[in-house]
Amino acid sequence: MIKKINVIGDSHCSIYLEQNRIANGGVWEQSGDFNIMHLGPLTAYNVCDKPEAISTSQAISNDEYILYSFGEIDCRCRIGRSDNPKENMIKILQRYFSFIESQQNKNIILTNITPCLVEEPMKDWFNEDISRKETFTATRGTLEERNKYKLDFSNQLKEFCKYKNYIYVDFWDMVYDKKELYMDDVHLNGEKIGKNIKTLILNQIL
C-alpha cells in the first residue's frame, strides 16, 4: 500500500491536482494518493519563520510522505536582487534545509524547481502599475540567468537529498521550454503534466 503523499508548498504545488488551476489556499485538497496544501506565496527563505508551515508539517503522521514545494519564487524573484547571487542562494538554501531538517518526519520528497518559460513573466500585469515592479514577487534577472539559478538551486536540492537519504525527483527535461505544458507564464498546467510528474514520484517510492 502506498503511503499518503502530503504536498506542502506555494502555488506550484497545484500541479499535483491534475487540474488547470491554482490550488485553493489554506485547505487540503486531494488527488489520488496526494494531499495538497497551498500555503500561499511562501519562499524557501522564509518558510522556516511561518507558523502555518510548521504546524501543517507537524500535523502529518511520521509514516506518511511530505513533499515540499518551495523555491520557485526565490529563484525567479529573490536571488537576482543581490549583488552576489551565489551567496544569496546559499543563504536561502541554508534556511530551507534547516526548516526541512527540523521536521520529525523524515519521509521527505523534493523536486526540481519549475523552469522559467518567458523573458518577462506577467509583463502586462506589472506594466499596469509600475510600482508592482518593486514588490518581492517581481522578476529579477534575464530568462537565461533565472533558469541557471533554478538549475543550480535544484542541483543543491538533489545533493541535499542524497546526503540525507531523502527522495529527489527531477522533471526538468520533461517540461523545459514546452509552452504547451504551462497554464500561464509561471505555472505548469496540472491537467497536462501533473499525472506524469506524479508517476515519476510514485515510481521512486514504490
Side-chain angles (χ1 to χ4, degrees):
M1 183 177 178
I2 298 173
K3 297 178 184 177
K4 190 179 298 180
I5 301 170
N6 301 279
V7 185
I8 301 174
D10 60 18
S11 56
H12 293 271
C13 71
S14 304
I15 54 175
Y16 301 102
L17 290 172
E18 296 185 45
Q19 298 178 25
N20 184 24
R21 68 176 177 90
I22 299 298
N24 296 322
V27 296
W28 286 105
E29 297 190 73
Q30 187 171 355
S31 175
D33 296 307
F34 289 70
N35 281 344
I36 298 96
M37 172 62 79
H38 173 203
L39 291 179
L42 275 61
T43 65
Y45 181 84
N46 71 17
V47 67
C48 60
D49 297 325
K50 299 298 182 179
E52 63 270 36
I54 296 168
S55 61
T56 300
S57 297
Q58 290 176 342
I60 294 172
S61 172
N62 288 343
D63 63 357
E64 297 178 358
Y65 288 102
I66 300 179
L67 191 163
Y68 286 115
S69 177
F70 298 103
E72 196 282 329
I73 297 173
D74 303 80
C75 294
R76 176 167 48 88
C77 309
R78 304 300 293 173
I79 292 174
R81 289 175 67 96
S82 172
D83 292 334
N84 190 330
K86 183 177 181 180
E87 183 178 287
N88 195 17
M89 183 185 296
I90 291 171
K91 290 180 180 178
I92 292 169
L93 285 163
Q94 286 175 337
R95 285 172 61 89
Y96 192 28
F97 292 164
S98 175
F99 167 75
I100 294 170
E101 288 186 276
S102 72
Q103 306 309 314
Q104 289 186 347
N105 189 318
K106 302 304 179 184
N107 296 313
I108 303 297
I109 303 172
L110 300 177
T111 74
N112 63 275
I113 306 300
T114 298
C116 286
L117 181 65
V118 297
E119 190 66 54
E120 295 185 66
M122 301 177 288
K123 179 180 179 179
D124 292 341
W125 185 81
F126 282 112
N127 286 340
E128 287 175 2
D129 182 349
I130 199 70
S131 68
R132 291 172 176 169
K133 294 186 178 182
E134 300 305 315
T135 63
F136 87 99
T137 53
T139 300
R140 307 291 174 180
T142 65
L143 176 63
E144 182 179 0
E145 287 171 338
R146 296 194 311 275
N147 273 333
K148 184 179 186 306
Y149 299 154
K150 290 188 171 188
L151 276 173
D152 290 347
F153 196 96
S154 297
N155 285 334
Q156 290 299 314
L157 296 181
K158 181 178 181 180
E159 289 303 309
F160 176 66
C161 287
K162 183 178 179 180
Y163 176 71
K164 300 297 295 186
N165 201 28
Y166 297 152
I167 295 169
Y168 180 78
V169 177
D170 189 341
F171 58 82
W172 181 279
D173 290 340
M174 183 185 291
V175 303
Y176 178 71
D177 202 27
K178 296 179 181 177
K179 185 177 181 179
E180 68 275 12
L181 299 180
Y182 285 71
M183 66 175 170
D184 56 32
D185 289 349
V186 176
H187 299 90
L188 288 166
N189 186 333
E191 190 173 38
K192 294 183 177 179
I193 195 62
K195 183 176 181 179
N196 290 352
I197 294 174
K198 288 163 74 173
T199 297
L200 280 181
I201 294 168
L202 291 171
N203 285 343
Q204 284 274 76
I205 66 177
L206 290 177

